[in-house]
Amino acid sequence: MSLVDVTGLRVDFGATRAVDGLSFRLEEGAALALVGESGSGKSTVASALLGLHRGTGARVEGTVEVAGTDVRRASDEELRRLRGGRAAMVFQDPLSSLDPYYAIGDQIAEVYRVHARVSRRAARARAVEVLHRVGIPDAARRSRSRPHEFSGGMRQRALIAMALACEPRLLIADEPTTALDVTVQAQVLDLLHTLREETGMGLLLVTHDVGVAAESVDEVLVMRHGRAVEHGPVADVLGAPAQPYTRELLAAVPRLDAPRKAPAAPEQVVEEVVLEATGLRREFGRGKRAFTAVDDVSLVLRRGETLGIVGESGSGKTTLGRMLVGLLEPTAGSLTFEDRPHKGVNPAVQMVFQDPVSSLNPRRSVGESIADPLRARGEREEGRIRERVGELLERVGLEAAHHDRYPHEFSGGQRQRVGIARALAADPRVIVCDEPVSALDVTTQAHVVGLLGELQRELGLALVFVAHDLAVVRQVSDRVAVMRRGRIVEEGPAAGVYESPRDPYTRQLLAAVPALDPQVAARRRAERRELAAA
């Protein structure tokens, strides 16, 4: 009997059919990836495997059997035994999955005691054991830490430890590496692979990142609009896709070996310096608790070019970007814009933020948010403001009629387009993009990147593209600066940095980028193991 057997699964939310007649199997010890864009139904399928739609108003049809349990017909008690016992789930956002008030170890111990009749001391010991197993250093001490004291990668490891506490036969990982930098992503994927080898558990991986699938699974099921588009061995599906949609999905994946697009602004005079930073330093806190986030950074940005800034989480990228815009004042160093001192917020230097949900006011229409820079510049005629907002909405690929809609009525990619429109409203010369595509699926990501390129060519904009995704940065940048611990460790033309990196840290980052070829991915994983063991 298969570990997972799904036949004719349909899930409806009101009049919306999220999953439409999906069937697949997963054998003991095997790994399957559900791949597709946002809205394809991937996470809905994952939730259906554990009966998480029960009591939500969703209508579920078809057969779902997991580890010998008929999920649709199981009693509430049977589902409780299944969840966390024989099948466990690692969710996308560890912060929202962990209780901020309780120590990590206590939360793992509580899960273990639900399924195993053991003492509190034994449960605590089990929590320390699984934290150590997933690579948390000094696990006994760190088990007493709360979620906010862990980095993003460590929180994800803690969730995996919680899932492993009861030695499940199936692990469901729903976008486990979204928004993690490449080295932490590689560590999490390597961990999942090692755990599969050691425990023999099955893995169902839900991801929009085709590269992550290539690194982690035996088979791939490509989904679109709730249906299976293509299903087969990972090497076949990714190496020789049979369906046009799969080919389209693969074509949108940024790759390190892809030729860079044409220069962003070939007609521009790129020698003209528009923004220059000299010896920038930024400290947070005082005295013994002072922390230097950016340390002695100097860079030059020229008209019409794109400067990519890459590095791991905590490298200082975002802090540097906020100083360039004027949202943070440097502790030391100076900024000049077009040969004039650049202090405070300058309308000519705008920012597109990582998370458009938190940067757009949910109580105001997107049109009002886009209009703010126009009013700040002194425009008072409401008819002219509305007309200009409509032009900006259309310029970024939306409709003027969207003026009165609210942020929650848009998809992630559309909200990012609204953020770009708001930045354009100030008629900027420079736009700093802080992780503008980090949480978007590959096709939406490609559309947003393409839009930025079009705007740059037409308006002569200079772009600073801050990202942890080296493949995306390769695709868009003329020059690249690599940051580590607040400093720039390598800078130069994009081709030179990627093809002949000088700094060991740059080489380490490049080696962690997921490969679409499963054989290359396996070789890189082996190399990372050797480095870790050395």
Side-chain angles (χ1 to χ4, degrees):
M1 184 175 65
S2 301
L3 179 61
V4 177
D5 193 342
V6 175
T7 306
L9 176 64
R10 289 183 175 83
V11 182
D12 295 333
F13 298 98
T16 301
R17 176 153 293 178
V19 180
D20 190 4
L22 188 71
S23 300
F24 66 89
R25 290 184 177 183
L26 176 64
E27 304 302 325
E28 295 273 1
L32 169 69
L34 299 183
V35 176
E37 299 171 279
S38 299
S40 62
K42 313 183 298 295
S43 293
T44 303
V45 174
S47 296
L49 296 185
L50 294 181
L52 297 179
H53 297 305
R54 183 171 293 186
T56 66
R59 186 170 68 253
V60 181
E61 299 176 355
T63 302
V64 179
E65 294 185 0
V66 177
T69 298
D70 186 334
V71 174
R72 286 194 58 224
R73 296 182 179 179
S75 66
D76 290 346
E77 178 60 31
E78 288 171 329
L79 279 183
R80 278 193 291 270
R81 288 198 297 268
L82 172 68
R83 298 168 182 164
R86 284 168 289 166
M89 193 165 184
V90 176
F91 293 92
Q92 176 175 348
D93 181 10
L95 262 186
S96 62
S97 303
L98 294 167
D99 192 315
Y101 293 102
Y102 291 93
I104 294 286
D106 291 343
Q107 296 185 55
I108 297 174
E110 182 181 0
V111 170
Y112 187 55
R113 292 194 73 205
V114 167
H115 296 278
R117 295 182 177 180
V118 298
S119 66
R120 291 183 182 275
R121 175 174 291 184
R124 285 281 308 169
R126 177 60 174 167
V128 172
E129 178 187 345
V130 291
L131 283 170
H132 176 74
R133 189 176 193 177
V134 299
I136 299 294
D138 196 4
R141 181 178 64 85
R142 296 311 301 268
S143 70
R144 297 189 289 273
S145 301
R146 287 171 173 75
H148 73 273
E149 298 177 274
F150 276 25
S151 67
M154 287 178 67
R155 283 194 292 264
Q156 199 60 281
R157 286 174 182 266
L159 273 187
I160 295 172
M162 186 181 294
L164 291 175
C166 298
E167 299 185 351
R169 293 164 58 190
L170 171 67
L171 180 65
I172 303 169
D174 187 3
E175 300 278 12
T177 61
T178 295
L180 297 180
D181 58 59
V182 288
T183 51
V184 177
Q185 174 179 269
Q187 291 165 9
V188 171
L189 295 178
D190 289 350
L191 171 62
L192 291 174
H193 186 83
T194 300
L195 292 171
R196 277 185 59 213
E197 289 182 335
E198 293 176 352
T199 67
M201 69 179 181
L203 173 66
L204 182 78
L205 177 67
V206 177
T207 180
H208 67 255
D209 191 326
V210 183
V212 167
E215 290 266 341
S216 313
V217 300
D218 311 309
E219 294 189 355
V220 172
L221 192 159
V222 180
M223 291 187 67
R224 187 184 194 191
H225 302 323
R227 296 186 175 187
V229 174
E230 189 163 354
H231 183 192
V234 61
D236 295 345
V237 173
L238 301 187
Q243 298 300 317
Y245 175 70
T246 309
R247 293 195 289 271
E248 178 185 330
L249 204 61
L250 286 167
V253 177
R255 303 174 60 149
L256 289 178
D257 57 356
R260 189 188 176 280
K261 288 181 168 53
E267 73 283 359
Q268 302 293 339
V269 182
V270 297
E271 288 78 11
E272 178 189 345
V273 174
V274 290
L275 189 64
E276 183 171 5
T278 305
L280 287 187
R281 180 182 178 88
R282 175 68 195 198
E283 296 177 356
F284 293 96
R286 294 181 179 179
K288 293 182 179 180
R289 295 188 176 184
F291 170 72
T292 302
V294 173
D295 188 8
D296 192 25
V297 167
S298 299
L299 54 83
V300 168
L301 182 66
R302 297 177 176 85
R303 181 185 176 196
E305 77 167 350
T306 300
L307 172 65
I309 299 178
V310 299
E312 297 174 282
S313 298
S315 63
K317 308 185 303 294
T318 294
T319 300
L320 175 59
R322 289 175 179 265
M323 283 195 289
L324 295 178
V325 174
L327 296 177
L328 283 176
E329 183 179 348
T331 305
S334 62
L335 280 165
T336 60
F337 174 75
E338 295 182 340
D339 295 326
R340 296 187 301 276
H342 172 38
K343 292 185 178 181
V345 176
N346 183 344
V349 185
Q350 290 291 309
M351 194 166 200
V352 175
F353 295 90
Q354 175 177 356
D355 182 9
V357 173
S358 60
S359 61
L360 293 171
N361 189 331
R363 298 177 182 272
R364 303 178 71 210
S365 71
V366 297
E368 286 300 303
S369 292
I370 294 170
D372 285 343
L374 300 175
R375 293 194 173 96
R377 295 170 61 197
E379 181 64 62
R380 293 292 179 265
E381 207 282 297
E382 288 300 317
R384 175 57 192 148
I385 290 175
R386 190 175 184 96
E387 180 183 354
R388 179 58 179 153
V389 169
E391 292 171 356
L392 289 167
L393 284 168
E394 291 177 347
R395 185 63 201 82
V396 299
L398 299 173
E399 299 176 16
H402 290 161
H403 181 289
D404 297 319
R405 292 188 182 182
Y406 289 83
H408 72 271
E409 298 180 79
F410 293 87
S411 67
Q414 288 175 323
R415 283 193 290 263
Q416 200 57 284
R417 289 172 183 265
V418 171
I420 295 171
R422 182 175 58 182
L424 291 176
D427 288 333
R429 298 288 304 280
V430 176
I431 295 182
V432 178
C433 303
D434 183 18
E435 298 277 10
V437 296
S438 63
L440 303 178
D441 58 59
V442 289
T443 49
T444 306
Q445 186 180 92
H447 292 155
V448 172
V449 167
L451 171 62
L452 288 169
E454 289 175 14
L455 294 170
Q456 184 179 42
R457 285 188 290 273
E458 292 179 14
L459 304 176
L461 297 170
L463 295 180
V464 178
F465 199 95
V466 178
H468 66 255
D469 190 325
L470 277 79
V472 173
V473 172
R474 159 80 178 185
Q475 187 179 21
V476 303
S477 301
D478 301 295
R479 290 186 300 117
V480 173
V482 181
M483 290 192 70
R484 186 187 192 194
R485 297 174 183 169
R487 289 178 171 266
I488 292 179
V489 298
E490 185 162 358
E491 182 183 2
V497 171
Y498 279 79
E499 294 167 16
S500 303
R502 300 186 307 274
D503 193 88
Y505 177 68
T506 308
R507 293 195 289 270
Q508 178 186 338
L509 287 180
L510 291 170
V513 175
L516 288 179
D517 185 334
Q519 293 183 340
V520 174
R523 186 173 67 247
R524 289 184 178 177
R525 183 166 51 243
E527 291 172 352
R528 290 194 293 267
R529 281 183 177 178
E530 291 177 3
L531 286 172

